[in-house]
Amino acid sequence: KQEVTQIPAALSVPEGENLVLNCSFTDSAIYNLQWFRQDPGKGLTSLLLIQSSQREQTSGRLNASLDKSSGRSTLYIAASQPGDSATYLCAVNTGFQKLVFGTGTRLLVSP
Amino acid sequence: DVKVTQSSRYLVKRTGEKVFLECVQDMDHENMFWYRQDPGLGLRLIYFSYDVKMKEKGDIPEGYSVSREKKERFSLILESASTNQTSMYLCASRTVSDSGSPEQYFGPGTRLTVT
């Protein structure tokens, strides 16, 4: 059974720092991996999707990498801002469009 | 932009009531999903639908049913609400078209409290 783990569970950094969020999964047979952002009490906003054949995807200050063989993905946030404060979730597509989610990393960026 | 809307942001119901949660998407997506999100457990899939009138059980379907009579609308039904169904419910949709993105797009969520 696929399990997704995100470490750390919470992270607090000062504004301007570059930071890395980690996601690991137990079964490398995935179709793609998706990173989401969730603000308190709100739904999920899709940030990046990496297909299983890709190594990385970039969008603005965000860069996500995927190493399928080792079951790892990282989300790199450059020059963090207070507006980046949110919970970040990763999810792997195991087939039939099913996503298995990690429990998230809660990020706080202080001014 | 893809838009997924849910009928209520907050809902309070009594034990034993029949509860309907509605989800509508405006991008002609084939697939739709219902998840619940609980602290420490993350998001778990309740049901999903490949297309109109088609449904598949997810990981935690017990106590729930679904209906998809039209492509844009996917309803989650709690036949007899119980306190352990107090949760945040999230709807999502995606396209299966090769020309579209395979991303799942989420609605704003419905926070349901069963008393």
Side-chain angles (χ1 to χ4, degrees):
Chain A
K1 180 183 174 184
Q2 178 75 263
E3 291 182 3
V4 180
T5 304
Q6 290 185 248
I7 294 173
L11 183 62
S12 182
V13 300
E15 182 177 7
E17 273 203 12
N18 302 324
L19 56 99
V20 174
L21 307 181
N22 297 294
C23 173
S24 61
F25 46 95
T26 54
D27 187 344
S28 62
I30 66 169
Y31 287 81
N32 55 58
L33 183 145
Q34 201 166 349
W35 281 94
F36 295 89
R37 169 191 171 128
Q38 186 176 31
D39 293 290
K42 302 285 180 65
L44 277 64
T45 301
S46 179
L47 298 173
L48 289 164
L49 181 143
I50 311 178
Q51 299 283 16
S52 62
S53 57
Q54 296 175 321
R55 297 284 297 193
E56 64 179 72
Q57 280 285 338
T58 298
S59 176
R61 293 182 294 108
L62 306 179
N63 176 277
S65 68
L66 175 64
D67 184 342
K68 210 174 73 160
S69 60
S70 67
R72 293 179 187 274
S73 176
T74 61
L75 179 67
Y76 175 82
I77 302 177
S80 58
Q81 302 170 357
D84 294 331
S85 299
T87 296
Y88 291 81
L89 297 160
C90 71
V92 296
N93 183 341
T94 61
F96 300 103
Q97 321 314 331
K98 289 187 179 183
L99 290 182
V100 178
F101 283 83
T103 51
T105 294
R106 192 169 64 254
L107 173 66
L108 176 64
V109 181
S110 51
Chain B
D1 273 357
V2 175
K3 194 166 185 183
V4 181
T5 57
Q6 294 182 229
S7 52
S8 305
R9 291 299 310 278
Y10 301 94
L11 209 52
V12 179
K13 295 291 182 181
R14 293 192 181 276
T15 302
E17 279 194 75
K18 191 169 185 176
V19 182
F20 293 85
L21 303 182
E22 306 283 341
C23 175
V24 177
Q25 50 93 5
D26 66 356
M27 284 300 291
D28 202 36
H29 284 176
E30 293 80 10
N31 298 165
M32 296 188 75
F33 308 82
W34 275 107
Y35 297 87
R36 65 177 282 177
Q37 185 177 28
D38 301 287
L41 297 176
L43 275 87
R44 294 177 291 167
L45 182 64
I46 304 171
Y47 266 97
F48 63 105
S49 169
Y50 289 114
D51 212 327
V52 178
K53 296 191 186 295
M54 299 178 70
K55 60 186 179 184
E56 291 284 338
K57 292 180 181 179
D59 298 319
I60 50 164
E62 297 78 19
Y64 302 95
S65 62
V66 290
S67 172
R68 192 158 179 212
E69 296 297 317
K70 293 185 177 182
K71 195 172 186 180
E72 68 271 18
R73 187 180 298 269
F74 191 35
S75 302
L76 180 69
I77 304 155
L78 287 67
E79 296 289 344
S80 178
S82 63
T83 54
N84 63 13
Q85 293 178 309
T86 291
S87 186
M88 171 73 115
Y89 289 87
L90 292 159
C91 174
S93 72
R94 72 178 291 279
T95 182
V96 298
S97 166
D98 288 339
S99 62
S101 168
E103 292 170 85
Q104 286 195 18
Y105 295 90
F106 281 77
T110 295
R111 184 164 294 283
L112 172 67
T113 302
V114 183
T115 61

